[in-house]
Amino acid sequence: MNRASIIAETIRKFDGIELKGELSETEVKSLVAEIGVEVDDTKHLFKMEIYGSYPFQFHDHETIRFVNKEFLDFDHVNSDGSICIHTNNYPDSLEEKLVLDLNGLISWVKRYVIDKGKDDHYEHIIVPYSSHDDKIRHFLFTDVAGKFEKGQHGLCGYKLLANSEVGDSVGETYILREFGPPASAKCDWSEFYNNSDDNIGFFIFSDPPVSQNNARFAAGKWVELKQIIPPNFFQQMWLEFKGNKKIRNSRFIPVFFGYSITENKVHWQAATFPKGDPPYYTVKDKKGNWSGEVRDLEIKWSETFDCSYDVFFGRGKLTEHLVSKRIMLIGCGAVGSVISESLVRGGARHVALVDYDIKEPGNISRSNYKFINGVTDKTHELGLHLMTISPFVEVTYSKRLTDNIKLFKFGDPKSREILIELLSEYDFIIDCSTDNDLLFILDDLKPSSQVLSIGITNHAKELVFTTGDNLYRKTGQIFGQLRQDMDDLFNPTGCWSPTFKARHTDISLLVNAALNEVDYRLSSNHALRNFYVSREANNIEICHY
């Protein structure tokens, strides 16, 4: 039995779906037919198209389509009338995969057509993306403090984040940075992303969305927006273009359209036009006043991404009891660099890096540093690395704090008080320095911060975690009980102290196991306890002490 016969036979056996006529094959080897679907005494007609690669998915897309343009008003329908269904993979059976997809079609009709179902996460309009030149542009936005009023519009600042390759095209990614004037509202990026000059575009909070007849699909032409956008918006565009040198010198002008998708959530959709072909023209009234009018031009929509903190970390985040706190990390070597990156990838917002040392080529194999940056301060390179990961983390550096701690330990009471006050600005102090003298002094100073000490044994067999009082003594006791191989150390050329050997993978394994334990205890309101993580043949065991 050939492929078309198998498909036809499977459909004929399926209750509730009728194959109307025969399957026909297109030039690109797709099979096409009409099917009737009966659900709860309702009947619907779909065009079915099965691509040649079916039952495999293609670029994460299903390779079977069910199309009915009468359903454009329902959720999960594309502008061409094809509905979105996502079923499980079934690469080894054409019949089983087809049964899954037909069941998916039945479920979609039941949920969205008959029961009028709406999904909370299905909020923003569907936009066809295009460009007025050979560049593919993406715009990233995040939350802004305060609320926008309907019809509010003005200038906004955006900046280039990166040039890239997108398929066969050149890509440009920008971040939306600030709204205003007159009232300036900065976007919720870290200072690292908020501290440079902007390009200038326009924004308008249109609410409702810039869609066709308030449907779920974006408007196709600028003139369609006249019903949604107040006339003075286009007039402002004309005036700014006439008088604002920065706008006149731009290669293109973006316009950001904002609308509410939930009670406290705004989505921004960007459109661009070249500076020589604006979507308006000027007219002179009887009194001799010039104003702007909208042109009948196609809108070139660019893809935008919501990068607000909750969305950015929506797929994986550490507990707020940790990442919302101010964290000082002392020691930016193998352990410190790994744990700092995990904290930042987990949503940490405030990290202070403390290390007097420089990064050398020999540090790179077991730490989160890069060869291309050469010899540099560990704090500087690691800080930049962390800020390139998260647009929300504020990173500060200090090369001298540990020196000052030791110098002022025996200083006058006032200096000691200042030192304690400085350390106490942080909720957590994570000491990864393996400096026992420093641990002894931290015990003595007793800042209000919770001090955590983390160190590993040679070959990263174990990781020791201690917290609370008497860290120097407790840490020494645990290390003393572990069987450390102190013979097989790495001895660099020259007059160097030997150092431990460990692979990056093993260090990461231990550090992240410890971080998971800390995350679990903080998120479940349990007090942190001393423990060590043991790695034996990749089996991880956490032993509380």
Side-chain angles (χ1 to χ4, degrees), residues 392-406:
F392 302 102
V393 64
E394 301 288 357
V395 181
T396 56
Y397 323 104
S398 175
K399 281 177 64 71
R400 306 189 187 283
L401 182 62
T402 51
D403 295 344
N404 290 337
I405 289 174
K406 291 182 178 179

Side-chain angles (χ1 to χ4, degrees), residues 179-249:
F179 295 91
S184 178
K186 280 192 173 183
C187 298
D188 182 30
W189 307 113
S190 68
E191 192 60 27
F192 180 74
Y193 293 92
N194 253 337
N195 66 356
S196 61
D197 289 341
D198 285 325
N199 301 304
I200 295 178
F202 296 90
F203 81 92
I204 179 165
F205 189 70
S206 60
D207 224 6
V210 282
S211 56
Q212 300 167 334
N213 301 321
N214 285 345
R216 296 181 304 100
F217 305 101
K221 293 192 172 183
W222 287 94
V223 292
E224 297 173 30
L225 306 182
K226 289 183 69 174
Q227 306 302 319
I228 302 170
I229 296 173
N232 60 348
F233 172 68
F234 290 104
Q235 189 174 4
Q236 183 194 10
M237 289 178 71
W238 173 68
L239 290 172
E240 292 289 348
F241 205 91
K242 188 177 176 184
N244 192 314
K245 186 176 178 182
K246 211 165 186 179
I247 292 178
R248 285 205 314 273
N249 291 336

Side-chain angles (χ1 to χ4, degrees), residues 67-133:
V67 181
N68 185 333
K69 285 196 172 184
E70 294 179 359
F71 293 149
L72 288 176
D73 290 340
F74 296 99
D75 281 1
H76 300 286
V77 182
N78 298 305
S79 58
D80 63 356
S82 61
I83 69 169
C84 295
I85 59 170
H86 301 283
T87 57
N88 293 333
N89 287 54
Y90 221 122
D92 57 344
S93 172
L94 178 62
E95 298 98 318
E96 294 296 335
K97 174 61 175 169
L98 184 55
V99 168
L100 283 175
D101 290 332
L102 295 176
N103 276 318
L105 173 61
I106 295 285
S107 298
W108 182 89
V109 172
K110 169 71 174 165
R111 176 171 172 75
Y112 297 105
V113 177
I114 297 176
D115 296 339
K116 313 298 181 191
K118 293 288 182 183
D119 292 334
D120 292 339
H121 64 278
Y122 195 84
E123 308 99 350
H124 55 79
I125 57 175
I126 297 172
V127 180
Y129 304 117
S130 60
S131 178
H132 53 76
D133 55 21

